[in-house]
Amino acid sequence: MDLKAFQAALEQLEAERGINREKIIETIELALAAAYKKDYGKRGQIIKAKFDIGSGKIDFFQVKIAVSKDDIREEIIPEETKKDSKKERDEHERDEEGIDEEDRKIRFNPERHILIEEAQKIKKDIEPNEEIIFPLETKYEYGRIAAQTANQVILQHIREAE
């Protein structure tokens, strides 16, 4: 990546559109995380990216939310199968955040949640609903669809910032 050209593009966006540098970098990080998730992530994962503008280095992280056993639904929900009814699939899609509207208990997803007992092995003083961050392998090659996703995120956030 040509960092000088990138810096110049940032300055141009800042001057022409009146968007501050931090907002632009935040948008780039969101776009990189979206592209990473599209090509390398799993359903339900929370992916974040950290972009160092000075070095051009990108770090990716998976975020998991610590939950106690009391906050998890008792029922065991099997992985989606081809036998699932359309209603069950639709309900699952509406419930992607993992929250059951009826009793506000969490549908545990190991890609999104970590039991508080496990989280305490990593971070002793963690509380329920706190995030714990796991580094991911940095990837630099993305497919066409992931690149389009990143482009859409950037355009949308620039429009919102304007």
Side-chain angles (χ1 to χ4, degrees):
M1 176 187 305
D2 183 357
L3 291 176
K4 287 183 182 178
F6 188 76
Q7 292 277 7
L10 277 179
E11 289 170 10
Q12 184 177 1
L13 266 174
E14 208 171 3
E16 288 180 5
R17 303 218 178 175
I19 304 169
N20 72 25
R21 182 177 292 253
E22 290 77 31
K23 184 69 176 167
I24 296 169
I25 293 170
E26 178 186 317
T27 298
I28 291 167
E29 289 174 345
L30 288 171
L32 289 167
Y36 188 99
K37 185 176 179 182
K38 190 67 124 174
D39 274 0
Y40 303 107
K42 296 178 183 169
R43 183 181 181 126
Q45 276 186 324
I46 302 169
I47 305 289
K48 292 191 178 179
K50 182 69 181 153
F51 177 60
D52 181 351
I53 195 161
S55 67
K57 185 176 185 230
I58 306 165
D59 293 312
F60 293 96
F61 306 95
Q62 179 178 5
V63 177
K64 291 189 179 189
I65 301 165
V67 294
S68 71
K69 288 183 181 176
D70 297 336
D71 294 333
I72 299 174
R73 275 198 218 169
E74 293 297 319
E75 64 195 76
I76 298 173
I77 299 176
E79 288 295 315
E80 258 186 37
T81 63
K82 291 181 182 176
K83 296 185 282 188
D84 285 347
S85 70
K86 179 173 178 7
K87 182 180 176 189
E88 288 171 334
R89 285 193 308 271
D90 290 346
E91 186 177 298
H92 180 72
E93 287 173 17
R94 280 194 306 273
D95 196 22
E96 190 169 280
E97 290 294 316
I99 299 172
D100 179 13
E101 293 300 319
E102 291 177 17
D103 61 4
R104 303 302 294 170
K105 288 204 174 200
I106 295 168
R107 178 184 290 171
F108 186 82
N109 178 343
E111 295 298 335
R112 179 179 287 267
H113 304 106
I114 184 169
L115 289 174
I116 194 78
E117 295 81 14
E118 292 296 315
Q120 286 172 337
K121 293 176 185 175
I122 299 165
K123 183 180 174 190
K124 299 273 186 232
D125 61 341
I126 195 162
E127 296 290 325
N129 295 321
E130 277 188 50
E131 295 180 344
I132 191 161
I133 297 171
F134 298 92
L136 294 171
E137 180 183 349
T138 299
K139 307 280 188 175
Y140 292 100
E141 301 207 6
Y142 298 94
R144 180 182 57 83
I145 304 295
Q148 286 176 337
T149 300
N151 185 42
Q152 288 171 351
V153 168
I154 289 171
L155 292 175
Q156 176 186 351
H157 282 260
I158 286 176
R159 273 189 233 113
E160 288 172 6
E162 287 179 320

